[in-house]
Each structure stands twice: as C-alpha cells, then as structure tokens.
Amino acid sequence: MTMQLVGLNHRTAPVALRERLFFGAAAQADMLQQWLAQPGVSEVAMLSTCNRTEIVMCGADVTPIIADLACRAQRSVHALRPLLYHYTDRAAAAHLFRVACGLDSLALGETQILKQLRDALATAVAHGSAGRQLQGLFQHAIATGKRARCETTISQGAYSIGRAGVELARVHCPDLTASPVLVLGAGKMSELTAKHLAEHGVHTIFVANRTYAHAVELAERLGGRAIHYAQFPDALTEVDILISSTSSPHLILHAERIAAVMAQRPERPLCLIDIAVPRDIDPAAGSVPNVHLYNIDDLRQVTDADLCRRQAEIPTVEAIIAEEVERWRCRQAGLDVTAAISALRHSFEQVRQAELLRATPLFAELTPEQQAAVEGMTASLVNKLLHTPTVRLKETLAAHPDACPQRLLCDLFALEPADMEEHP
C-alpha cells in the first residue's frame, strides 16, 4: 500500500493561508472520517499546528484530499498545488522524521513537535483512521526525534516560539522588568511564553483566559495576576506588551478596539505579539500609530545566538534520519511480505475448500479417519506449493526493498489489492 504525505508549512505558505488550513480537534475528526471513506484510503492521519498542516495516508490517490484543502483555503486546486509538498513512501517517512527531529521547524531543534506528533497519532487512533501502518510510522518518527536529541545537541538552547516572542518584545521594551505584560490564553504555548517572561524578570504579568480557573492556575504558578476574560480589553491601557495565543477560530482583537486603547495612551507604545494560528489580532491593528504588531512568521527575525552551533549538528541528525528511514523501510517490507503471503495463502485455502466442497459426494463412503487424511493431504499440498514462492518472495524483497510484494502477487495470482488489507 502506497504511503503518501501532502501538506504545507511556514516555509511554503504565509500565515494567512495556514490559518485557513488549521484544523482544530472537531474539524480533524470530521475530515479524518471523510477521507477514510474515500475509495482506496485505508488509513489517514493529520498533523495540524501553527506552522504546518500535513496529511499522511495509506492509499493511491491523494487528489480528493488536495481538493478538500483547496476548498477550505478558498483557492483553486491549481493555485494551491504550488504551495504544497507531496511525498510518497520512503520520502514521506524521511520528511516526517525530519519534522520529528526539529529540522523542519521555525525554531531549529524545538521539542514541542514531538508532543504534537503524539497528539496527532492519538487523534487518528481515537477516530479509527490510523491502523498498523501509520501507527508504526508515527511511533518510529517520534523515536527518531528522541534519538536525535539524545545523540546530538540539536535542541540544546533551541528557541521555542514562546521564547522567540519574548525576545521580540525586548526589541521594543529592552527593560522587561518595568514593562507590564498581558498574556492572553492559558494553554501550553501561553504558559511557556509566560515562563520566559518571568525568567526575564517581568514583575507584572496579567493572565486572561475564557476559563477563569485556568487563568488563576497559570497566574499562581507565575506569581502573576489573573483577570476575567471580559476585562482584558480594558487591561490593554495598563500594559506595554500583549502576547496572545488562544484557540479561538476567529479574531478577538479588532483594529477599532486597539485604536480606542491607543487614544487613551497616545505617547506610550504597545507591542502586540500574536502567536496564535488562526490569528487572534486583526492585521489592520498594525497600522494604528505607536502599535507594533507581530505574527508568528515575524519570529524569524529574532536572532538566535546558538543557531550556528545547532546548525553544525544538522549533518549528524540527517545521518540518523537516513539510518532510521532504512530501518523503517526494512520493517515495512517485512510487514508487506507478511501481508502478501497471508493473502496468497488465504486465496489458495479458498480454492482448496471449494474443491473439497465440490467433492463432498465422493467422500460419503469414507470413514472419518479417511476424510481427515484427505483434509490433511490437501492442506499439505497447498503448503508445499506455496513454499518456494514464499522463499523467493522474501529473497526478492531482501534484494529490492522498494519492490511492492502486493503488486507482484496481484499480477501473478490475480488477487485484488483489497485482499491484502483484509488478510494482514
């Protein structure tokens, strides 16, 4: 079965497009079920984060998935395709392993992607769309990411998105200790950002979240102050920096609101850092005088003092990836051979049973012992007939690991591809 990966990321598409193709939990569940129902698709999983949306599937035709992405992006398939990457089999595994190792991240070597991969797999498993093939692929990718971080320093000193946001804030507020900050959202990204703020000596941190109890929990851990969500627009008159990372599917801060805030503090700059996807803050807010607005793509401008050192580790990490991809492919070939042989034996067994059934009238006068002997003899005959093809198939796959055993057997024995899925 062909493994395919199609997607886009921060390198190929701007945030305005990525936010349209961001899938929350409910949307993921719907799309996984919809794609799994497509003819020829046996498994499918999705990785959707602020920096990427990627779909991995077992199936021959990725066209319906691309069409659905184009519809959601409000673009034609022709316009969307140049912004997508598409890999199959070994190349798909290599890409996913690079993602797991942090080589394809906005911040080289960041570690949050491992949790995001685990979550993507858990979601697909929970909705019945990830079977043996994709579970093995994702688990191997996660293990490769862990190995890269254990054996190299690719992640040591790596910037998280939250840390990069804080460094960006320092451009406009060099003395963070004297700059009140509002953190909007109490999720993982907001918590990581707030921790970096506290480490930089910020004394005044407000935390707002739709669920007030979550804001209180985060504020207590940081020594900050929780405020009710409805109060956060008023709090903008008191702070110098807003870092927003909510899971809202729509804008929560419009340019008109920001303009009204700035009318009360015209000489005091306001730095807005929107690290949410979809975005929380209206892009037009950046045109309000004395407002400095940044989105997640702007974090690339942050200077990373450790970047050169981590870049030196890339060749070593790439070697690890190449080794692990080969291990995955050998394991995959073994699984493919097992499935193919199982399907072939099932096909032969069906023929044997049909012939025995057709000969039932001839067995009427046989004793139970004689009938058992006939049963054993025909079963032994099938095993002997399949022995040499089984050995040769394994030898062929050992010499040509990219060969497809299912295709070989389908051609030789007139099997249907679906038979391979039914008898793994």
Side-chain angles (χ1 to χ4, degrees), residues 10-11 51 104-108 110 161 296-297 299-300:
H10 60 282
R11 303 180 195 277
N51 282 325
D104 202 50
S105 298
L106 180 66
L108 179 66
E110 57 94 9
I161 290 175
I296 195 165
D297 284 353
L299 300 186
R300 298 178 190 177

Side-chain angles (χ1 to χ4, degrees), residues 15 39 99 108 126 156-157 171 193 245 250 299 306 342 351 363 372:
V15 65
V99 170
L108 179 66
Q156 291 183 13
V171 173
T193 304
S245 178
H250 309 293
L299 300 186
D306 294 323
S342 177
V351 173
F363 297 158

Side-chain angles (χ1 to χ4, degrees), residues 75-144:
R75 295 195 180 196
S76 67
V77 171
H78 177 75
L80 182 64
R81 272 191 180 274
L83 304 178
L84 299 175
Y85 39 82
H86 179 201
Y87 304 108
T88 60
D89 294 328
R90 186 189 295 267
H95 174 80
L96 197 65
F97 288 14
R98 294 187 86 255
V99 170
C101 291
L103 296 190
D104 202 50
S105 298
L106 180 66
L108 179 66
E110 57 94 9
T111 59
Q112 190 178 7
I113 188 63
L114 289 177
K115 181 181 184 303
Q116 292 167 337
L117 282 166
R118 290 191 195 96
D119 291 345
L121 177 58
T123 298
V125 170
H127 292 93
S129 68
R132 180 185 59 183
Q133 304 282 353
L134 289 190
Q135 288 184 48
L137 176 67
F138 272 74
Q139 288 165 358
H140 204 136
I142 293 167
T144 301

Side-chain angles (χ1 to χ4, degrees), residues 32-33 42 50 171 190 238 267 281 294 351 406 409 416:
L32 289 175
Q33 294 301 318
S42 60
C50 55
V171 173
S190 297
E238 303 179 36
E267 304 302 323
I281 303 173
Y294 301 95
V351 173
Q406 289 95 335
L409 293 186
E416 293 296 327

Side-chain angles (χ1 to χ4, degrees), residues 235-241 260-271 289-290:
L236 289 175
T237 60
E238 303 179 36
V239 302
D240 295 324
I241 301 166
V261 168
M262 296 308 294
Q264 301 178 54
R265 44 177 293 172
E267 304 302 323
R268 186 178 171 190
L270 179 60
C271 180
N290 239 0

Side-chain angles (χ1 to χ4, degrees), residues 298-320:
D298 296 319
L299 300 186
R300 298 178 190 177
Q301 65 182 269
V302 176
T303 300
D304 187 345
D306 294 323
L307 181 59
C308 290
R309 177 185 57 75
R310 295 204 312 282
Q311 284 177 330
E313 294 280 22
I314 291 178
T316 304
V317 175
E318 293 282 15
I320 290 173

